[in-house]
Amino acid sequence: MSAAAPTAPALRALPAPRGLVWTVLRLHRTALWIWTGFVVLTAGLLLWLYGPGADHTQHLLDTYGYAGVQQDAWTSGIIGSPFSGSYNDLFQDPVSLLNIASFAVAVFAAGSLTSRELENGTARLAWTQSVTPARWLAAKLAVPALVVTAGTGLLVVLYRMLWSAHANLLLAGIGPRALYFAIGPATVAAPLLGLAVGAVAGLALRRTLPALAVAGTAQYAVIAFRANSWPFQGSYQQPELSVRSRAITSTGKEIPDPGCYDSHACLARHDVVRFTRQYLPSPDYWPRQLLETGVLLAATVILVAVAFGVLRKRSTS
């Protein structure tokens, strides 16, 4: 009697999203890929600014001090223009991208995530398949919230790492302060508020184009308010960050910047071999960040509650 052939051990299947989670991911896979691409490209820009992108400007700072930082900005195009290639302007571009992402999340939540399904009847069809309206909305909000939080959280960590390493390469003025207060936990909370704003607009209006317009306008107002109003960054209400600049002699002694600019003879006369420059941390950073984050999250919770209330009223009417 022949022996039975040995059977291969059964492979354990990897856990995979099921039910409503899988449905949301499947239905909005294009938006998921777009968001993933945004996070990857922005993270790549931040890492480039952290690494090879900073080399030239750092060399100018080490050699000529703050005059080298100014020289880099002046020779790289019109400062602050879309065509400027200066390290100073490239450093601030990711925060603009994060604001755009916050706006895009609100528009997505108002259109594709909610109002379009209400408008074409897909939502009501789902509610007849043993899925309650509340569970439907919970999945619609929870899945994008997790994806958005993971992406923005990663970018904020990279941005803070970049700030710690190379904030000394930024031109002095109000710009560094506004940037400093624009990077933190509140940056993660802002798109979550956009998600709630979009959901309320989509559920209340149930028409795609009006919901897009209302959500986009509301989130744009949130972004503008954050940039210019206490207790947020308040870029036009507060002084610029303090800067400590020093020249280092061959003996290691720190002296004030002699103002030699690119004169090697002047640098030799003062025995300057390198420079250091640092933006000093602001004592009101964390109080403002925590207050702003709390306000944004509280507004998010309120709007989510409003969204469920609107949905309950719509689903029973």
Side-chain angles (χ1 to χ4, degrees):
M1 186 175 180
S2 59
T7 58
L11 296 177
R12 296 183 61 184
L14 294 176
R18 297 180 179 178
L20 283 175
V21 173
W22 171 250
T23 301
V24 173
L25 291 173
R26 176 77 177 172
L27 186 61
H28 302 290
R29 59 187 180 277
T30 301
L32 177 62
W33 281 113
I34 292 174
W35 175 257
T36 302
F38 162 76
V39 172
V40 169
L41 291 175
T42 306
L45 174 59
L46 289 167
L47 291 173
W48 180 81
L49 291 168
Y50 178 82
D55 291 346
H56 175 67
T57 310
Q58 184 67 54
H59 172 73
L60 292 175
L61 171 65
D62 293 339
T63 306
Y64 304 117
Y66 181 59
V69 175
Q70 292 176 309
Q71 176 185 340
D72 176 65
W74 291 336
T75 58
S76 300
I78 301 174
I79 298 173
S81 76
F83 306 104
S84 172
S86 71
Y87 186 81
N88 178 81
D89 289 341
L90 292 174
F91 197 108
Q92 303 193 47
D93 284 345
V95 78
S96 299
L97 295 175
L98 285 167
N99 283 332
I100 294 172
S102 174
F103 176 86
V105 167
V107 171
F108 163 74
S112 177
L113 193 66
T114 55
S115 65
R116 189 176 68 179
E117 292 198 38
L118 293 170
E119 189 174 11
N120 61 24
T122 307
R124 286 198 176 274
L125 178 62
W127 301 343
T128 63
Q129 306 296 318
S130 70
V131 175
T132 64
R135 283 186 60 206
W136 173 83
L137 181 58
K140 284 285 186 179
L141 294 178
V143 174
L146 288 174
V147 173
V148 167
T149 300
T152 52
L154 172 64
L155 295 179
V156 166
V157 169
L158 292 177
Y159 221 150
R160 295 304 305 180
M161 181 179 72
L162 173 63
W163 174 273
S164 298
H166 297 305
N168 56 344
L169 303 181
L170 295 174
L171 291 174
I174 202 64
R177 185 189 186 282
L179 178 62
Y180 178 68
F181 281 90
I183 311 169
T187 311
V188 181
L192 295 179
L193 178 58
L195 184 66
V197 166
V200 171
L203 293 169
L205 298 175
R206 294 188 294 177
R207 300 294 296 272
T208 302
L209 290 179
L212 292 177
V214 170
T217 302
Q219 190 65 11
Y220 180 83
V222 169
I223 294 170
F225 184 79
R226 287 187 63 215
N228 302 310
S229 304
W230 193 95
F232 310 123
Q233 291 97 333
S235 56
Y236 299 109
Q237 304 169 11
Q238 300 293 331
E240 52 191 79
L241 292 175
S242 299
V243 187
R244 177 187 291 132
S245 296
R246 292 290 185 271
I248 311 297
T249 67
S250 61
T251 62
K253 180 181 178 181
E254 293 188 0
I255 62 173
D257 190 332
C260 293
Y261 295 94
D262 59 353
S263 172
H264 290 276
C266 175
L267 293 171
R269 185 165 61 251
H270 289 89
D271 193 28
V272 173
V273 294
R274 63 186 180 90
F275 291 84
T276 63
R277 185 170 182 266
Q278 177 189 14
Y279 277 106
L280 301 181
S282 175
D284 62 343
Y285 174 80
W286 280 112
R288 284 176 177 267
Q289 275 291 307
L290 294 177
L291 180 57
E292 180 182 6
T293 304
V295 170
L296 293 175
L297 290 180
T300 300
V301 171
I302 292 171
L303 287 177
V304 168
V306 170
F308 276 96
V310 171
L311 178 65
R312 187 181 305 111
K313 182 177 179 181
R314 296 294 190 191
S315 61
T316 56
S317 59

